[in-house]
Amino acid sequence: MNKKKIIIANWKMKLSFAESISLAKQYTELLNEGNAGDNDVVACVSTMALSSISEIFRSSFVKLGGQDVFWEEKGSYTGEISAPILEELGCSYVIVGHSERRQYLLENYQMIHQKVKSVLSTSQITPIVCIGENLKERDPDKRDYVITDQLQQALGGIKLLPKQEIIVAYEPVWEIGTGQAIQPDDAATMHKIINVALIDLLGIDVTKHQIRVVYGGSVTGENSSDFTKLDHVDGLLIGGASLKAEEFAKIVASN
Ligand code: PGA
């Protein structure tokens, strides 16, 4: 079954407030239903720019996403932001457990699990849950286990209501931001493993209808369709190339 593709931009912490506003305006000029094919399009922007960009995207077809979320709804959690607040700011999606947070902030899959649970139970936001092996785990004997284990820890026991969805983002950590994406054959193998693991974990119906699995890691205008044409690849998570509005719009239009 071919699912509707979702193309997700991750602007990380790469832009100032003014630059974020300007890029958001360029997105709305270049991306519309006429040229975006049948794709869903999401921009995950810095927390500080959410409320302003929410206004810019209001009449646009681009959806707004956060880059992180905390697992409690409210309380003494300095610096954190909850799913209901993200929703209030206009978010429809949020990235959970990006590898940069796992690396620099020691976020682990127990925390990621709590975050996914909280997003689903306290808001109507769709979590974009990141998984992916690092260079040490890359060995073909190890990586299947690593990926299956990450999925189990992040999503084990999660129950989705009929209208809810989860996006799983597979990003080989060693390829993020390098400009060198993995071979499409390799991605095909990993997405097949992920599909089997998801069926084991959540059942075939939920996996078919309520989960989309996207590929991320050095996706560009040149290589994007090498990935989206693969089985079990339902879209893309794009860092660097999403900062150039024209390149991002080209990726959206061509997939
Ligand atoms: P990249 O980043 O496209 O720059 O490799 C992807 C990501 O980290 O989400």
Side-chain angles (χ1 to χ4, degrees), residues 98-186:
H98 191 279
S99 65
E100 284 149 14
R101 297 194 60 82
R102 285 185 266 141
Q103 180 182 353
Y104 300 117
L105 291 139
L106 308 185
E107 212 166 275
N108 61 38
Y109 277 94
Q110 266 165 328
M111 297 177 191
I112 294 167
H113 179 83
Q114 280 180 276
K115 290 182 175 195
V116 175
K117 245 170 64 177
S118 169
V119 170
L120 293 170
S121 64
T122 65
S123 73
Q124 294 189 43
I125 293 176
T126 298
I128 301 164
V129 184
C130 297
I131 58 168
E133 76 284 6
N134 61 33
L135 201 50
K136 276 200 236 135
E137 299 161 335
R138 189 189 160 190
D139 187 288
D141 290 341
K142 251 193 219 159
R143 66 182 186 182
D144 302 13
Y145 168 76
V146 169
I147 290 300
T148 309
D149 186 54
Q150 288 178 350
L151 283 169
Q152 163 79 44
Q153 287 197 54
L155 304 181
I158 297 278
K159 296 263 178 291
L160 289 178
L161 298 172
K163 289 251 161 74
Q164 288 182 318
E165 185 188 22
I166 292 176
I167 312 290
V168 172
Y170 167 63
E171 300 201 295
V173 174
W174 42 283
E175 294 290 25
I176 293 175
T178 60
Q180 193 84 54
I182 59 170
Q183 291 303 314
D185 277 1
D186 250 354

Side-chain angles (χ1 to χ4, degrees), residues 10 12 14 95 98-100 171 175-179 216-219 237-241:
N10 176 11
K12 309 193 180 188
K14 300 233 178 169
I95 297 174
H98 191 279
S99 65
E100 284 149 14
E171 300 201 295
E175 294 290 25
I176 293 175
T178 60
S218 296
V219 173
L237 177 55
I238 304 173

Side-chain angles (χ1 to χ4, degrees), residues 7 17 28 36 51 59 61 75 78 108 121 139 142 166 171-172 190:
I7 315 288
F17 179 73
T28 57
S51 85
S59 53
F61 115 114
T78 305
N108 61 38
S121 64
D139 187 288
K142 251 193 219 159
I166 292 176
E171 300 201 295
M190 295 313 289

